[in-house]
Amino acid sequence: MSYEGQCWWITGASSGIGAALARELGVRGARVILSGRDEARLAEVAEGIATETLTLPFDVRDESAMLAATDKAIEWSGGIDGFVANAGVSQRSRATKTAMEVYREIIEIDLVAQIAATQALLPHMTARQSGRLLFISSIAGKVGVPMRTAYCAAKFGLAGYADALRAELSIDGIGVHVIYPGSIATNVSRNALNADGSKRGRSDHVIDNGIAPDEAAKTMLDAVTLNQREIIVAQGMEEAMGEMRRTPDQLLDQVAAMVANGYMDKMEADG
């Protein structure tokens, strides 16, 4: 697989993993569309990309803005070859102290908005019978981690949506990849929400000493190139936990075979 001449769209592209993936895709020859809320930061990221870019700033929770951006992205690119659902916010609070509004906000950003953006692109990709979808989950989307109940719920949910979608799209020539990062040296902890919804404002030692974003991005795209469906990017205990919960390839193949054998058509006919 070559990225040369392809067009990839990334949400949450103003920093961290999203920005690192944008830079690495540029190195590999892809044109890149950058989305996030901060237009100035998106522009800074775009300046460091070796290929042609387009910035489309919007809040992922604003569905009308997202739909308008989808139209612009397709018009600019002529065809989206890859989409990275990366926008997200984490959490650092005990469940017993966390306000329900925090659960709603994290699940809206990390799960519902990512599903909505993907659903908007699906008609375009299925019509072309090609493309790749990358969903940035987390080791916390494989293993329930204390102080992150809302985040785990959203990231587990994103992986579940992606796994089911992968099976459905397996007959349409579209690859679906779920990436499970461990501690990556980003601002994820600093931007995490406290129990009352305020920003935490400080980082964790484990995050500060985590994998460099650019290194993580290379690992992710190398794995996508090899068509790996579950991609664990972590080290030490986090990597071990992720591997313990890895879905066997045989099971993913079995579900895809159900689709190939007409499972969806039979379900619709029975309905």
Side-chain angles (χ1 to χ4, degrees), residues 5-139:
Q6 291 190 349
C7 183
W8 281 66
W9 186 9
I10 305 172
T11 64
S14 61
S15 64
I17 290 173
L21 282 169
R23 289 190 293 269
E24 184 61 23
L25 283 163
V27 169
R28 298 184 187 213
R31 295 180 297 151
V32 184
I33 301 171
L34 307 164
S35 287
R37 288 182 295 176
D38 192 323
E39 187 170 4
R41 289 170 64 191
L42 290 174
E44 289 178 8
V45 175
E47 289 177 1
I49 297 175
T51 53
E52 188 179 10
T53 63
L54 173 68
T55 58
L56 289 176
F58 66 93
D59 188 322
V60 292
R61 292 167 292 187
D62 185 339
E63 191 161 347
S64 62
M66 177 272 292
L67 292 172
T70 300
D71 291 340
K72 290 177 184 177
I74 293 170
E75 181 181 2
W76 180 79
S77 66
I80 303 295
D81 297 291
F83 176 69
V84 184
N86 172 65
V89 60
S90 191
Q91 169 199 15
R92 296 293 185 275
S93 60
R94 296 173 185 249
T96 53
K97 297 181 179 180
T98 303
M100 268 310 301
E101 63 189 50
V102 173
Y103 282 92
R104 292 189 178 98
E105 181 170 0
I106 289 175
I107 290 171
E108 175 66 25
I109 294 171
D110 293 17
L111 177 59
V112 177
Q114 306 314 308
I115 292 174
T118 304
Q119 292 292 130
L121 263 183
L122 284 183
H124 169 71
M125 282 192 163
T126 54
R128 299 179 77 218
Q129 291 285 286
S130 68
R132 290 183 184 267
L133 298 168
L134 275 61
F135 296 91
I136 308 299
S137 181
S138 170
I139 291 298

Side-chain angles (χ1 to χ4, degrees), residues 132-205:
R132 290 183 184 267
L133 298 168
L134 275 61
F135 296 91
I136 308 299
S137 181
S138 170
I139 291 298
K142 277 287 188 187
V143 180
V145 181
M147 305 288 285
R148 298 164 180 82
T149 48
Y151 186 66
C152 288
K155 292 299 188 178
F156 267 81
L158 188 64
Y161 167 75
D163 283 352
L165 185 64
R166 180 191 299 112
E168 290 193 20
L169 298 180
S170 59
I171 56 176
D172 291 306
I174 299 169
V176 177
H177 311 267
V178 184
I179 299 176
Y180 297 92
S183 293
I184 311 296
T186 69
N187 287 324
V188 63
S189 292
R190 191 168 285 108
N191 293 330
L193 301 186
N194 291 317
D196 61 357
S198 61
K199 277 193 178 183
R200 186 171 188 245
R202 58 187 175 86
S203 192
D204 300 328
H205 174 77

